Amino acid sequence: MAQTEKKGGLLRKSSASKKPLKEKVVLMYDEIFTTEDPSKCNPRFWEELFLMKVNLESLEGKLEALDGEELMKIKDNINCLFQHCIQALGEEHPIRVVNALQVPR
């Protein structure tokens, strides 16, 4: 059953069966937690990631949900994440530095 919502002066039909939209940063976390290199399809992946506000709840939830075997499968991507955190700390862009500091928290 569709309902009408009013947000910011716009009417929009909503459905109880629709999934909520994911933040872009959460979608990028999903890419890190696959066995593929996330920068393979997007060479600017890591630069873009550190420009977005960290979603610690999502990142921690993904890490905690992994068992040892799953963690070993994505070990390279996790190592890459922390390597890029360290690199971002040396940048002059303050947003990247702050976001890189929050990831390994």
Side-chain angles (χ1 to χ4, degrees):
M1 180 186 319
Q3 298 176 350
T4 303
E5 292 180 10
K6 187 172 181 178
K7 287 189 175 185
L10 300 174
L11 292 176
R12 171 178 143 179
K13 288 187 178 182
S14 67
S15 170
S17 65
K18 283 187 180 178
K19 293 181 182 177
L21 295 176
K22 284 187 178 181
E23 295 175 66
K24 184 174 180 179
V25 72
V26 174
L27 293 172
M28 292 180 87
Y29 294 158
D30 290 345
E31 291 182 51
I32 294 169
F33 285 80
T34 65
T35 56
E36 290 289 319
D37 176 1
S39 62
K40 188 176 185 178
C41 294
N42 179 4
R44 295 183 44 87
F45 178 86
W46 299 108
E47 295 166 24
E48 292 174 10
L49 179 69
F50 293 112
L51 285 175
M52 290 183 257
K53 185 177 178 186
V54 176
N55 183 326
L56 281 176
E57 182 179 323
S58 174
L59 187 57
E60 288 173 351
K62 288 185 174 300
L63 282 167
E64 290 172 357
L66 295 174
D67 64 23
E69 189 174 312
E70 292 169 326
L71 187 59
M72 291 307 293
K73 288 179 183 175
I74 63 164
K75 176 182 77 167
D76 291 340
N77 286 355
I78 299 296
N79 286 339
C80 213
L81 170 63
F82 287 102
Q83 177 186 8
H84 282 89
C85 282
I86 293 167
Q87 288 175 351
L89 293 176
E91 292 189 18
E92 292 184 20
H93 199 293
I95 292 173
R96 284 193 176 125
V97 173
V98 168
N99 291 335
L101 281 169
Q102 291 181 8
V103 170
R105 215 176 91 170

